[in-house]
Amino acid sequence: MTPVAEMPRDVEAVEAVITALDRGVADDVEAHRVMTGTLVAELGLDYGAVWLPAGRGAFRLAGEWGALVPALQGARAQTLTSSTGLGGRALSTHEPVVCDATTDPGACARWAAASAGGATSGAFLPVVEDGTVVAIKEFYKDGELPVFWQAKWHSLERLLTNARRAAVSMAALRETLDDRRAVTTVVGQIAEAATEERALRVALDTVRTAFGWAYGSFWARDESEDVLRFVQESGSAGEEFRRVTLAASFAEGVGLSGRAWRQRDLVFVRDIGEVTDCVRAPAAQRAGVKSGVCFPLVVGGVVIGTMDFFVTDTIELSESRAAALRNVQQLVSQRLDVLRRSDHAARNARELLDTIARLREAAGDAGLVADQAVGQATTMTREVEALGQASAAVDEVIRIISGIADQTNLLALNATIEAARAGELGKGFAVVASEVKDLARETAAATKRVSDQIAGIQASSRSVAEGIHSTSETIGRLDVVQARIAEVLEEQARMASAFEDVAR
């Protein structure tokens, strides 16, 4: 019986990579990291790293594994380009570049560091898709690398690429579902939020938990000092990070929140260490925070605050996730706008009710004054009528006095005639008669003046009585107007109360 040949180790490694990808990845970056790390573990390699595009033809180190990681620390360049050692050659030629004991260490700083650390073989393997290098994988081993690195690399990488694409597609589908679920949850819960605090709490908790992020916080704009200040938080990124957060404030353009404020749009930072103007960045790095995202909340065309989130893994923000966050941003901003308008309307309604109450009180006071005025006018009318009657009585007395004066004057005239007839004996009597006649004339003149004055008083009394009567009628009509005003105020009060209920 022919013995069954042992399956090559490289095939087992490929199967392990596919199995690891099937467990699920978050995005394309994690897929490359999972593939590279699995190959290092399955093939017993001493070092493995993956370089991913960083823009403008450069590649950045996205992850490294193995015992030689410390040895490569000193040779870690910021980026890898087509002119950077053996990795640059693989990038420019699209072909694997293998190094061994015959390779000049001077040709590549990384190979020199790896060989100094004990590696005897290595390879830079380009991952090519549609004629473009999408990744560079770097491996070192104390011993020989598996034979497939040169002979079978392209075929095996195409197989792994298909598995990676499938895993990434599945991750994108899951992310889309998570995004939709998060937005749907925000829509459902935020519509029920009766206060700004509740609306912000819903958004912070929903986004953070839906996306599996560690920490989220809301920063409100302090208009008096024109800075952002901490208000609410969700989750935790360590006590030190929280202490720094509570004490921090951000001006426009400063830090992650300040940048979102200035740009009035979503801001994503893959490496929080790149935010050198953020006081929270050092504490965040010590707490293991890797990436951050922030978006502004805009109400009435004005940025009123920002909402930021931090992740303990290095992530890439997909277009789907960015769109979902912008949807959340818009939903929260709209809800805050509605709540603020409702609060403003409710305050206006309460102020209107207060004004109506004061007007109602004033109208009531005016009614009382009108009633008092009518009462006083009635009293004055009676008094004026009494004055008229008294004037008439006085006038009658004056006529009597005037009659007596006339008779006295006539008697004095007769007495004067009789005195003249009496001659010398009647002279003294004639003097008295003359004085009586003068007094009668003066009395007649005085009574005439009094009579004229009484006539004037009577005329004035009639005019005053007529004026008081007219005033009483006017006050009566004013009372009707006050009643109508009271009815209108009651109607306004009912409308304001209904408006206040709607605003709540």
Side-chain angles (χ1 to χ4, degrees), residues 57-58 80-85 87-92:
L80 185 152
T81 65
S82 58
S83 60
T84 308
R89 188 188 304 174
L91 175 60
S92 60

Side-chain angles (χ1 to χ4, degrees), residues 168-337:
V168 171
S169 295
M170 184 61 66
L173 178 59
R174 284 196 301 270
E175 181 176 281
T176 300
L177 294 175
D178 289 342
D179 294 342
R180 291 181 179 178
R181 182 166 55 252
V183 173
T184 301
T185 302
V186 170
V187 170
Q189 294 189 11
I190 205 171
E192 300 176 358
T195 63
E196 287 191 23
E197 181 180 3
R198 178 57 184 166
L200 295 169
R201 170 60 57 198
V202 167
L204 283 173
D205 290 344
T206 301
V207 172
R208 185 185 63 80
T209 56
F211 301 154
W213 293 345
Y215 184 81
S217 58
F218 169 69
W219 297 73
R221 183 177 173 184
D222 182 348
E223 295 186 0
S224 63
E225 299 185 17
D226 206 26
V227 296
L228 294 170
R229 298 192 184 280
F230 171 81
V231 175
Q232 283 193 45
E233 65 181 346
S234 176
S236 175
E239 188 58 33
E240 179 189 6
F241 182 76
R242 188 173 190 274
R243 285 198 305 271
V244 175
T245 295
L246 294 179
S249 64
F250 297 102
E252 185 175 1
V254 178
L256 191 61
S257 291
R259 294 181 188 180
W261 176 9
R262 171 171 291 176
Q263 297 178 22
R264 299 171 67 90
D265 193 14
L266 185 74
V267 173
F268 169 69
V269 177
R270 181 181 178 278
D271 183 358
I272 198 66
E274 297 174 2
V275 189
T276 56
D277 58 350
C278 180
V279 296
R280 295 195 293 170
Q285 288 180 296
R286 287 191 291 271
V289 172
K290 299 295 192 302
S291 303
V293 62
C294 181
F295 55 76
L297 297 178
V298 183
V299 174
V302 178
V303 175
I304 65 163
T306 61
M307 193 168 284
D308 58 22
F309 299 91
F310 295 95
V311 192
T312 53
D313 295 321
T314 301
I315 64 169
E316 299 291 341
L317 191 67
S318 67
E319 293 183 2
S320 172
R321 182 60 49 83
L325 289 172
R326 286 190 174 95
N327 286 335
V328 172
Q329 169 193 353
Q330 186 175 7
L331 289 169
V332 177
S333 297
Q334 290 175 347
R335 185 56 182 169
L336 293 180
D337 189 19

Side-chain angles (χ1 to χ4, degrees), residues 470-484:
S470 177
T471 301
S472 297
E473 291 180 345
T474 301
I475 293 174
R477 290 195 297 272
L478 179 60
D479 192 48
V480 174
V481 173
Q482 292 289 347
R484 291 175 58 191

